[in-house]
Amino acid sequence: MIQAFGLTSSSRKELPPAVDDVSFEARAGRITALLGAPGAGKTTVLRLMLELQQGRGITHFRGRPLHRITHPSREVGALLGDVPGHPARTVGGHLRMLCAAAGVPVRRADEVLEAVGLVSLREERLNTLSRGMDRRLGLACVLLADPHTLILDDPHNGLSPRESTWLHGMLRAHAGQGGTVLFTTSDPKGAARTADHVVTLERGRLVADQDAAEFARTRLRPRVAVRSPHAARLAVLLAKQARTSQRSVEVVREGGNRLSVYGGTCADIGEIAFRNGIVVHQLADEIGDMGTGAEGRAHGVDSTAPAAAPRPGLEAASSADADAPAHAPEPSSCSEVGAVISPEPRTACGPGSVSDAEEPAAIGPSLSFGQPQLPEAEPRECPDASSANGTGDGSAPGAGPSLPMLPHWTKARTAHTLDELPTLPPPISVRSAPSPLRPLRYEIRRATGISTGFLIGAGVLVVSAVTAVVLARIGHTPQPRLLAAWPQELPLPPAALGAGLLGALAFGDEFRHPALAADRGTVPRRLGLLAAKLLVSSTAALLLAVLAVGCDAEVLYLVYGRELAQVPVDWLSLSASWIGLVVGCAWAGVLAAGVFRSTTAGLAAVAAVPILVVPVVHKLVNGPSVRTAAGLPVRLRETLLPRWPFGGERYLEAALKLISQPVGGALTLSLTALLCAYVLTALRSRLR
């Protein structure tokens, strides 16, 4: 079950908050609709609940806030937009990748595909899906970790009636198994038809919290609210007049002295009351349709008491008695009458009688039909029956917890004094993006799930082979550079550039199509995910380096014979340098793209190593005040007198030779700087 208390968004530039003090409850086994016109703050409420946006308040999912849940995806499944994913990825591949991220077996992908009816579209690409199929895939992604709670933002948007019926069946089945379902909508009739409970928002505030039946009866049908001490007699007269005039009028006794008249008008009811000498304390048109451009309105007059002073947490003074159902009135041409929004009967403040010519806060003469005016009554104190969201004590089913269960900042609103301000709810900090539970498996499926990497590898091999043939044709190219297809005029060979591009795509695709953290626009900076990306990219770079040299040697042998395809004498050290260069470029691409959040920035960082960093390092090393490090391996070997076991000093000497080279030193320096920047960025985001 979901319990939201005091959700308030952070205001900007002295503007009112988009969501102000919203509290409600969504019970398990029921479907709850968050209803409101576009711009009412529905999506903001969901983002505050999921800790995706800063503000104030707290939301409990089965008694725990989201940041206290170890694996949030296994407790709450959320879909706040279209399905995030690479357009070239297949439906099955996308779900298998998310299985690794959620830490569930891969067979779960086939189970949810069967549940949403997409088994036949397993090999279809995401960019070929229709709106309805995309919604089905989004629901499959939400159900992947088998969460208890589903939170969906306008899931019926753009769906056909048949698809909407199917979606309703899926949500109903989940709720029938004991799960909690909360979705937003701007269609009041759809909310009444689909949901068990309806929470209505208007301009960022909660205006109604009702069961679906009560919502359909009170907010979907225009009615006239009548309050009179002779309600029973007036009901009989209205029914008699309807039969006489052959009009379809329904009169509902709300309890006490209140009537709800459907199909009548204020003028007709007022004339009947006037002719029969019946005192009317309230006569108001109530239109509750919350569609676009339609808001709850009330026009009425009151003759019982002057308006009570407003209290913190209430939007307006009361105009209804203890049995008044929830509605959201606004001032119109008639007397302005406010309404306390309540999902259940409760004691309310006395209504005010405000005439058109006076200010809303002024106390004007009261009016009655067929009776002389009554003297003004003394202002009455409001009983302590309000709550933080103005929805009563919330003890009705689905209307929120009772006062003893509410936090201290909610209980503070029951104070009787007006100068006592309520305490603020706790601040909401943006929760960091979740890291995949199986990062290596996730990265392998991410990299192999689309053809981009394979196409880049094939293109690199073709370009490298053609370059090697052209260099052999021109001549004057050393044998090692000829096998690597590395001209003197280019800063890097094609294989190194291709490896850098593959590394940059490891993080660049995450930011372009953020499947891990679609609602944040970023990806987690955990070291486990970084290690997985470095391992996969280095493996791809190693394969690319070996295949590039092998293809170049084979093409040179076919075109020019065995002479140009001979293996150099010092092939071992050259191979180590070659592999180190290609793998280092791949790592530079991964780190730069992770720091700067762009594939282009990652590739630019790879190209900047020989173009910018190498000249700077060469200038520093060969400067007049810096001794050259050319003899560092020899001096280090002389210093380390004890021999390492298994000849380990030879490997250390080879590594130092690689680092002492201009490109090797520059690449090592660049990788160190990028790694430090990545770690600092990760620590900064975690501290926030």
Side-chain angles (χ1 to χ4, degrees):
M1 132 175 122
I2 304 174
Q3 294 172 306
F5 304 111
L7 298 180
T8 304
S9 61
S10 300
S11 58
R12 296 182 179 180
K13 297 181 180 180
E14 300 181 355
L15 296 176
V19 172
D20 188 8
D21 196 13
V22 173
S23 301
F24 64 92
E25 182 176 293
R27 293 186 178 272
R30 307 184 71 185
I31 300 177
T32 303
L34 192 60
L35 175 67
K42 304 183 298 295
T43 302
T44 304
V45 168
L46 298 189
R47 294 183 64 85
L48 291 172
M49 293 172 58
L50 297 173
E51 299 178 4
L52 302 177
Q53 181 174 329
Q54 291 183 345
R56 288 192 172 274
I58 190 170
T59 303
H60 287 166
F61 298 90
R62 291 203 287 182
R64 293 180 297 169
L66 202 59
H67 61 269
R68 295 291 181 89
I69 300 176
T70 306
H71 302 301
S73 62
R74 298 183 180 180
E75 176 65 30
V76 181
L79 181 63
L80 303 185
D82 295 335
V83 176
H86 197 287
R89 200 177 302 278
T90 62
V91 171
H94 183 74
L95 288 177
R96 286 191 293 270
M97 181 184 70
L98 294 183
C99 283
V104 298
V106 70
R107 66 175 180 272
R108 180 64 180 166
D110 295 330
E111 294 175 1
V112 295
L113 282 177
E114 184 176 358
V116 300
L118 292 181
V119 176
S120 60
L121 302 180
R122 183 187 290 109
E123 301 303 325
E124 294 292 329
R125 302 188 183 277
L126 298 185
N127 59 353
T128 62
L129 299 180
S130 63
R131 179 69 174 178
M133 296 300 104
D134 183 83
R135 283 297 180 183
R136 292 195 180 204
L137 178 59
L139 188 60
C141 297
V142 169
L143 296 173
L144 200 59
D146 195 17
H148 175 270
T149 302
L150 299 184
I151 296 180
L152 311 174
D153 187 15
D154 204 2
H156 298 88
N157 184 25
L159 298 185
S160 64
R162 180 181 178 183
E163 292 168 338
S164 297
T165 303
W166 172 87
L167 180 60
H168 176 219
M170 288 294 299
L171 300 182
R172 179 61 61 189
H174 184 81
Q177 296 175 358
T180 304
V181 178
L182 174 65
F183 71 94
T184 65
T185 181
S186 58
D187 179 17
K189 295 181 181 179
R193 183 174 56 253
T194 306
D196 302 314
H197 197 82
V198 181
V199 178
T200 307
L201 292 180
E202 183 178 330
R203 299 176 184 175
R205 288 180 175 269
L206 184 68
V207 297
D209 192 338
Q210 305 166 288
D211 286 336
E214 180 72 9
F215 169 81
R217 188 174 66 84
T218 60
R219 298 187 65 82
L220 290 184
R221 297 174 60 189
R223 66 174 182 174
V224 178
V226 183
R227 189 153 57 94
S228 171
H230 308 288
R233 181 184 170 201
L234 181 58
V236 173
L237 293 174
L238 291 175
K240 181 179 179 180
Q241 179 65 26
R243 289 193 299 269
T244 302
S245 59
Q246 296 183 353
R247 295 176 56 188
S248 177
V249 177
E250 179 183 358
V251 182
V252 178
R253 289 289 301 274
E254 299 289 352
N257 59 354
R258 182 179 175 88
L259 299 176
S260 292
V261 182
Y262 299 93
T265 64
C266 283
D268 295 338
I269 299 171
E271 289 178 1
I272 294 174
F274 180 80
R275 289 196 303 265
N276 293 275
I278 297 178
V279 177
V280 175
H281 291 171
Q282 183 190 27
L283 189 62
D285 281 329
E286 294 180 354
I287 303 175
D289 195 340
M290 293 299 295
T292 304
E295 300 173 346
R297 302 184 182 276
H299 324 299
V301 290
D302 200 339
S303 62
T304 56
R311 298 183 302 157
L314 295 182
E315 295 186 35
S318 171
S319 67
D321 62 355
D323 296 48
H327 59 280
E330 287 186 358
S332 64
S333 58
C334 299
S335 302
E336 178 176 331
V337 180
V340 172
I341 309 307
S342 173
E344 61 172 358
R346 63 169 185 158
T347 304
C349 302
S353 59
V354 184
S355 62
D356 293 337
E358 295 172 338
E359 293 296 328
I363 301 174
S366 58
L367 300 178
S368 62
F369 293 92
Q371 296 290 338
Q373 296 184 6
L374 300 176
E376 294 182 1
E378 293 294 327
R380 297 181 297 174
E381 282 291 328
C382 296
D384 54 347
S386 64
S387 64
N389 57 4
T391 57
D393 59 5
S395 59
S402 58
L403 282 178
M405 297 175 59
L406 293 178
H408 62 86
W409 64 86
T410 314
K411 295 179 183 179
R413 295 185 181 273
T414 62
H416 292 274
T417 57
L418 299 180
D419 54 351
E420 185 175 337
L421 296 178
T423 57
L424 293 176
I428 298 176
S429 300
V430 177
R431 182 171 49 90
S432 58
S435 181
L437 296 181
R438 298 173 181 174
L440 182 58
R441 193 174 302 178
Y442 165 83
E443 180 59 22
I444 291 175
R445 292 174 181 170
R446 186 209 62 81
T448 59
I450 56 178
S451 59
T452 303
F454 301 102
L455 293 178
I456 291 176
V460 166
L461 295 180
V462 172
V463 172
S464 181
V466 172
T467 303
V469 171
V470 172
L471 290 178
R473 179 79 174 177
I474 296 175
H476 309 293
T477 301
Q479 182 69 12
R481 280 185 170 265
L482 189 61
L483 292 177
W486 190 355
Q488 297 285 352
E489 295 79 8
L490 294 179
L492 288 173
L497 289 174
L501 179 57
L502 290 176
L505 287 173
F507 266 119
D509 279 347
E510 296 279 15
F511 289 107
R512 289 186 60 194
H513 312 286
L516 277 180
D519 304 315
R520 296 170 177 83
T522 182
V523 294
R525 299 179 183 273
R526 304 291 195 278
L527 294 182
L529 180 61
L530 175 63
K533 290 185 177 296
L534 291 178
L535 180 59
V536 173
S537 63
S538 61
T539 303
L542 179 62
L543 291 175
L544 192 60
V546 173
L547 291 177
V549 172
C551 289
D552 294 345
E554 187 66 22
V555 170
L556 290 174
Y557 171 74
L558 293 176
V559 176
Y560 298 106
R562 187 178 300 276
E563 181 180 358
L564 294 180
Q566 293 181 354
V567 179
V569 178
D570 53 345
W571 65 272
L572 185 60
S573 60
L574 291 176
S575 298
S577 301
W578 172 243
I579 292 174
L581 174 65
V582 177
V583 173
C585 288
W587 285 7
V590 171
L591 292 170
V595 172
F596 300 108
R597 303 184 178 185
S598 171
T599 303
T600 305
L603 188 59
V606 174
V609 172
I611 296 176
L612 298 178
V613 184
V614 169
V616 172
V617 173
H618 189 268
K619 184 177 181 180
L620 291 176
V621 171
N622 295 331
S625 59
V626 181
R627 295 186 177 182
T628 179
L632 180 61
V634 178
R635 294 193 298 270
L636 187 60
R637 183 175 181 179
E638 293 176 355
T639 304
L640 299 176
L641 295 178
R643 293 289 181 178
W644 288 25
F646 307 105
E649 73 280 354
R650 292 181 298 174
Y651 302 104
L652 177 62
E653 184 177 356
L656 291 176
K657 284 183 178 180
L658 292 177
I659 297 176
S660 63
Q661 296 176 2
V663 176
L667 191 57
T668 304
L669 181 62
S670 300
L671 290 177
T672 303
L674 290 173
L675 182 60
C676 292
Y678 187 93
V679 172
L680 289 176
T681 307
L683 293 177
R684 183 182 63 181
S685 62
R686 296 192 68 176
L687 289 177
R688 287 181 177 178

